[in-house]
Amino acid sequence: MKRVITYGTFDLLHQGHINILKRAKALGDYLIVGVTGEDYDISRGKLNVSQSLTERIENVKSTGLADLIIVEEYMGQKVRDIKKYNVDIFVIGSDWLGKFDYLKDFCEVVYLERTKGISSTDLRNSANDILRLGVVGNGRIAKRFVKESKYVSGINVDYVFGRNEEHLKEFITQLDLNSYYTDYDKFLAQVDAVYIAIPHIMHYEYAKKALQVGKHVLCEKPMTLSKKQTEELFKIANDGGLIIQEAIKTAYAPCFDKLISMAQSGIIGEIKDIDATFTKLIKDKTLREYKSALGGGSLTELGSYPLFIIAKLLGTEPINIEYVTSIDKETKVDIMTKVILKYKHSVGTANVGIGIKKEGNCIISGTEGYIYVPAPWWKTEYFEVRFEDLNKVQKVFLNFDDDGLRYEIADFLNAININKKSYKMNEQESIFLADILENFRANKNVNYIL
Ligand code: CTP
């Protein structure tokens, strides 16, 4: 019996898939089809797959051509499958020509001509119009955002808004954008959605204007420094059927998503304590981070990350919030702050600093064990679930590619396309974060160390 194997995502089953499966089957007597698992697709940068793994397996099943369907979960699995299933022929489309020659050591490798004019990517794009997204701001993060957006299909970033024409010109040339605007209304008229990456204190005004003219908003963290303002932005968005999301990149990272679901599954028992730290030592006091008038300081700059994981796992209704902080005499901003959030059954501590350095890890402790995320935990790609019995430790790894902004962009796009708010970073969490920052700035329950 001749055994043939082929692999694919098989998203939105199309004629190209059916043709290759038919021709692969015709090369032997038994056809094995490997369908890519969700984690594997994410780890190889395929972020826009529309259908779930179950649906995609059903797609392959419905062709009636596969004798066996398996799931491809990791790079390098093909060699194992070929040996395990005694495969004679490996088949793949001609778009992969040469890429799988290394399998010739194990079986025959056949590249079949790809069916012209159709692909899952085209189908996904034609189901939804390409989202035209404009960037508000031309600073460091805006640059990274534009670069990362190239990894997400279904979105075009062509315009940037800012004030300084010279900087804007440089920005569009460097990043290959269409044009820039210094007039916000004209800029808004060109786009369906905006990404706001300007100093915190300006977020509210620019996000509000965009929402009022029917544009979706992805807003850098912190969305605002006021509970009321954040509530208002969500209200305008909700009333207008628009999406507004806070761009805390950690929230959208595939490994972080897994971490949250594992923690919530009860694997470490009842969560009692979270300790999360983010420090970024900044020496240059002329930078925005040290400008009190622009909302600078450790907590406003970095607090969103550790506070977010605490909110995600312990909730948004602590009984008591207390701050311990140290203020820089010269600039009047906090150079380190500790926020202690006391809940009925648990406690969370967020540590941040632009004037101190500390191990940037996160530890989630429960009654049965703990989850350890090494520094830099906010670029989550690895964590361990540890128990008293060292033999039981579980290690989880999932890529966090480059700057990791592609995951938040993909999630934002998906929320718009399916018209459903993301569960990864929600309204209550954004309002909660704004409230914590606002109370700190209003000096509520703040203890000072000199
Ligand atoms: N394939 C093909 N002809 C097409 C599309 C795909 O022969 N027009 C083949 C691929 O070469 C691969 C298999 O079908 O061997 C599964 O491909 P998959 O990646 O699932 O399909 P694509 O349409 O290429 O998906 P995407 O656009 O997401 O890359």
Side-chain angles (χ1 to χ4, degrees), residues 6-12 14-21 23 34 36 41 44 46 48-49 56 91-96 112-124:
T6 190
Y7 294 86
T9 308
F10 300 101
D11 190 25
L12 306 172
H14 55 66
Q15 197 55 44
H17 294 142
I18 297 169
N19 292 348
I20 200 161
L21 291 180
R23 292 164 67 205
T36 50
D41 269 329
R44 64 196 188 112
K46 234 178 157 163
N48 291 81
V49 175
R56 292 182 288 112
V91 171
I92 199 86
S94 53
D95 42 327
W96 294 99
L112 290 176
E113 189 61 34
R114 198 177 150 90
T115 307
K116 296 209 166 41
I118 187 149
S119 76
S120 304
T121 305
D122 290 345
L123 291 175
R124 284 191 292 263

Side-chain angles (χ1 to χ4, degrees), residues 241-440:
L242 297 164
I243 299 290
I244 179 166
Q245 269 179 228
E246 190 166 352
I248 297 182
K249 63 174 184 279
T250 312
Y252 308 96
C255 194
F256 183 81
D257 195 33
K258 195 152 199 166
L259 162 84
I260 295 300
S261 35
M262 279 180 84
Q264 287 172 335
S265 75
I267 190 167
I268 54 165
E270 195 190 330
I271 300 172
K272 286 291 193 189
D273 179 80
I274 299 179
D275 199 291
T277 301
F278 189 165
T279 65
K280 183 166 137 193
L281 201 51
I282 303 174
K283 293 279 187 201
D284 183 354
K285 293 194 179 174
T286 62
L287 290 176
R288 190 206 63 224
E289 285 87 341
Y290 278 98
K291 296 216 161 47
S292 172
L294 292 180
S298 302
L299 194 63
T300 45
E301 283 302 323
L302 308 173
S304 307
Y305 297 95
L307 290 168
F308 171 69
I309 190 166
I310 293 169
K312 195 92 208 154
L313 290 171
L314 303 183
T316 52
E317 287 177 0
I319 298 166
N320 184 56
I321 303 174
E322 198 184 314
Y323 307 81
V324 180
T325 191
S326 176
I327 306 288
D328 180 46
K329 290 188 184 69
E330 206 181 307
T331 58
K332 306 282 181 283
V333 304
D334 62 307
I335 50 163
M336 65 152 271
T337 293
K338 192 184 270 291
V339 189
I340 303 147
L341 300 102
K342 187 186 166 298
Y343 293 79
K344 194 167 177 199
H345 302 292
S346 56
V347 60
T349 312
N351 306 288
V352 290
I354 54 172
I356 60 154
K357 198 64 203 158
K358 194 175 164 168
E359 178 73 10
N361 59 16
C362 173
I363 299 169
I364 303 156
S365 307
T367 50
E368 303 289 332
Y370 69 98
I371 297 177
Y372 170 72
V373 200
W377 73 267
W378 54 94
K379 293 183 176 182
T380 325
E381 64 176 2
Y382 177 76
F383 64 89
E384 290 183 10
V385 188
R386 296 176 176 174
F387 303 92
E388 195 62 53
D389 179 354
L390 294 176
N391 297 318
K392 280 190 173 168
V393 59
Q394 290 186 28
K395 301 178 181 188
V396 179
F397 177 85
L398 259 179
N399 276 26
F400 183 90
D401 286 325
D402 301 326
D403 280 318
L405 301 178
R406 65 194 66 178
Y407 310 111
E408 77 186 17
I409 303 173
D411 192 75
F412 178 59
L413 176 67
N414 185 52
I416 293 170
N417 284 343
I418 64 171
N419 193 22
K420 193 165 169 251
K421 292 184 200 176
S422 173
Y423 68 89
K424 292 184 181 163
M425 170 90 236
N426 66 37
E427 180 171 345
Q428 289 72 31
E429 288 154 358
S430 287
I431 293 170
F432 177 69
L433 295 185
D435 193 31
I436 295 183
L437 300 182
E438 185 174 21
N439 287 336
F440 175 65

Side-chain angles (χ1 to χ4, degrees), residues 84-315:
K84 181 174 169 187
Y85 298 108
N86 288 319
V87 168
D88 301 288
I89 308 175
F90 169 85
V91 171
I92 199 86
S94 53
D95 42 327
W96 294 99
L97 194 66
K99 296 257 168 51
F100 291 102
D101 286 358
Y102 70 93
L103 295 176
K104 285 181 181 163
D105 288 344
F106 308 96
C107 67
E108 190 183 335
V109 174
V110 175
Y111 298 99
L112 290 176
E113 189 61 34
R114 198 177 150 90
T115 307
K116 296 209 166 41
I118 187 149
S119 76
S120 304
T121 305
D122 290 345
L123 291 175
R124 284 191 292 263
N125 288 344
S126 62
N128 297 298
D129 293 337
I130 302 274
L131 186 83
R132 298 169 311 155
L133 186 135
V135 177
V136 182
N138 54 358
R140 291 164 284 173
I141 183 78
K143 255 184 209 151
R144 280 188 249 145
F145 182 90
V146 177
K147 285 186 192 150
E148 285 275 321
S149 73
K150 315 260 190 247
Y151 294 96
V152 183
S153 59
I155 189 164
N156 273 352
V157 181
D158 281 332
Y159 304 100
V160 57
F161 164 82
R163 286 185 178 156
N164 183 321
E165 286 208 45
E166 218 172 285
H167 291 166
L168 290 168
K169 273 183 197 155
E170 200 184 303
F171 191 88
I172 64 165
T173 328
Q174 221 180 58
L175 297 160
D176 201 19
L177 302 193
N178 259 0
S179 186
Y180 68 84
Y181 287 88
T182 50
D183 179 317
Y184 197 46
D185 295 319
K186 285 188 185 148
F187 161 79
L188 287 175
Q190 296 300 321
V191 298
D192 308 308
V194 295
Y195 166 62
I196 298 186
I198 45 180
H200 322 319
I201 49 161
M202 294 155 78
H203 288 175
Y204 167 71
E205 180 192 341
Y206 283 83
K208 186 172 169 179
K209 255 196 177 167
L211 291 168
Q212 282 171 333
V213 293
K215 312 297 173 182
H216 305 282
V217 173
L218 179 61
C219 186
E220 255 315 315
K221 46 91 207 153
M223 187 179 278
T224 76
L225 300 174
S226 138
K227 183 182 181 197
K228 219 170 122 204
Q229 288 183 350
T230 300
E231 279 173 344
E232 191 189 340
L233 292 179
F234 274 99
K235 174 146 189 2
I236 304 172
N238 295 343
D239 291 350
L242 297 164
I243 299 290
I244 179 166
Q245 269 179 228
E246 190 166 352
I248 297 182
K249 63 174 184 279
T250 312
Y252 308 96
C255 194
F256 183 81
D257 195 33
K258 195 152 199 166
L259 162 84
I260 295 300
S261 35
M262 279 180 84
Q264 287 172 335
S265 75
I267 190 167
I268 54 165
E270 195 190 330
I271 300 172
K272 286 291 193 189
D273 179 80
I274 299 179
D275 199 291
T277 301
F278 189 165
T279 65
K280 183 166 137 193
L281 201 51
I282 303 174
K283 293 279 187 201
D284 183 354
K285 293 194 179 174
T286 62
L287 290 176
R288 190 206 63 224
E289 285 87 341
Y290 278 98
K291 296 216 161 47
S292 172
L294 292 180
S298 302
L299 194 63
T300 45
E301 283 302 323
L302 308 173
S304 307
Y305 297 95
L307 290 168
F308 171 69
I309 190 166
I310 293 169
K312 195 92 208 154
L313 290 171
L314 303 183

